[in-house]
């Protein structure tokens, strides 16, 4: 297994005297080239789980391994992971091309290779020829395409996406969801995708892990989970 998450627990201070668990003893594995949707209601701990895997949370317990190597204490920027959020968090003062090239600049890739890689990425996300535009001139969907190209630029070994389609209207969400699926498969990207929307999970993922009340309560292929929810609560959440 590529990503191995064991007993991950993160708490937060609820008030001066009480702590609560945002994620409680979460374990799962993710195989190379697989897209996993972490699906659950708002407040169930999905974003905390993603941030913990990225190295952005202080852990109470647990380990994160990548291809057998313990990376629990490795700093965020040395994990080789990329993150993408609901609002793409683009650099608004930069052009589309310069946003996409960001990680390549940091890696000091020579300019001609940067240009070629940026063109290839813009083509991949359906924005060929958009390089010189300002990101503020783009629609919400186009901005998320730029954010995806930027996240893929350095060929991350794991792509972590937190509700990347949630700010878009339904039609656009479906179109971009399908494209996202195609792009992840085409590039062979291993990805973990957080969403509260069952439709998005079905559209994008190979496997689903259900989070409820800080626990990972069921995981399996999309069909396994949807056809056989493990508890009445899960069935209710899935609308079965
Ligand atoms: P989700 O992404 O599924 O909506 P989150 O991981 O954002 O859930 O949050 C899980 C729970 O932990 C929620 O009850 C949230 O309010 C709480 N929580 C997470 N991080 C913090 C924090 N830094 N401070 C206070 N509460 C937090
Ligand atoms: Mg969240």
């Amino acid at each position: 297994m590529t990503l191995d998450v064991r007993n991950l627990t993160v708490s937060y201070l609820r008030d001066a005297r009480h702590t609560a668990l945002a994620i409680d003893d979460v374990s799962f594995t993710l195989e190379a080239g697989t897209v996993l949707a972490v699906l659950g209601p708002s407040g169930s701990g999905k974003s905390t789980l993603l941030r913990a895997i990225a190295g952005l949370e202080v852990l109470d317990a647990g380990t994160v391994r990548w291809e057998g190597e313990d990376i629990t204490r490795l700093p965020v920027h040395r994990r080789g992971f990329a993150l993408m959020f609901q609002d793409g968090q683009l650099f608004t003062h930069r052009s589309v091309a310069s946003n996409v090239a960001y990680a390549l600049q940091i890696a000091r890739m020579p300019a001609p290779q940067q240009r070629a890689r940026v063109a290839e990425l813009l083509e991949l996300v359906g924005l060929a020829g958009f390089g010189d535009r300002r990101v503020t001139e783009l629609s919400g969907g186009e901005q998320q395409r730029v954010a995806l190209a930027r996240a893929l630029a350095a060929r991350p070994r794991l792509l972590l996406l937190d509700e990347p389609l949630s700010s878009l209207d339904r039609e656009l969400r479906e179109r971009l969801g399908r494209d996202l699926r195609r792009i992840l498969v085409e590039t062979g990207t291993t990805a973990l995708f957080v969403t509260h929307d069952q439709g998005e999970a079905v559209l994008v993922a190979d496997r689903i892990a259900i989070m409820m009340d800080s626990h990972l309560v069921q995981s399996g292929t999309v069909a396994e989970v949807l056809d056989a929810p493990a508890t009445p609560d899960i069935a209710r959440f899935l609308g079965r």
Side-chain angles (χ1 to χ4, degrees), residues 46-47 162-163 194:
K46 306 181 298 293
S47 294
D162 194 346
E163 311 256 9
V194 160

Side-chain angles (χ1 to χ4, degrees), residues 132-174:
D132 292 333
R133 300 263 198 109
R134 300 170 63 97
V135 296
T136 46
E137 291 166 3
L138 304 181
S139 70
E142 288 165 349
Q143 288 185 10
Q144 285 306 72
R145 288 173 190 272
V146 175
L148 180 60
R150 186 179 64 177
L152 290 171
R155 303 183 200 278
R157 51 188 191 170
L158 176 66
L159 179 60
L160 299 166
L161 307 116
D162 194 346
E163 311 256 9
L165 309 175
S166 295
S167 63
L168 309 174
D169 62 51
R170 207 166 72 87
E171 198 182 323
L172 199 56
R173 197 156 67 210
E174 264 185 35

Side-chain angles (χ1 to χ4, degrees), residues 8 10 12 22-23 26 37-59 83-87 160-164 166 192-196 209 211-212 214:
L8 222 55
V10 174
Y12 60 92
I23 54 170
V26 171
V38 174
L39 174 66
S42 171
S44 57
K46 306 181 298 293
S47 294
T48 305
L49 175 61
L50 182 128
R51 291 170 49 82
I53 293 166
L56 292 164
E57 294 281 351
V58 177
L59 306 181
L83 284 142
M84 180 178 160
F85 297 99
Q86 176 173 348
D87 102 58
L160 299 166
L161 307 116
D162 194 346
E163 311 256 9
S166 295
L192 192 154
F193 167 83
V194 160
T195 182
H196 66 275
M211 285 286 294
M212 292 187 104
S214 315

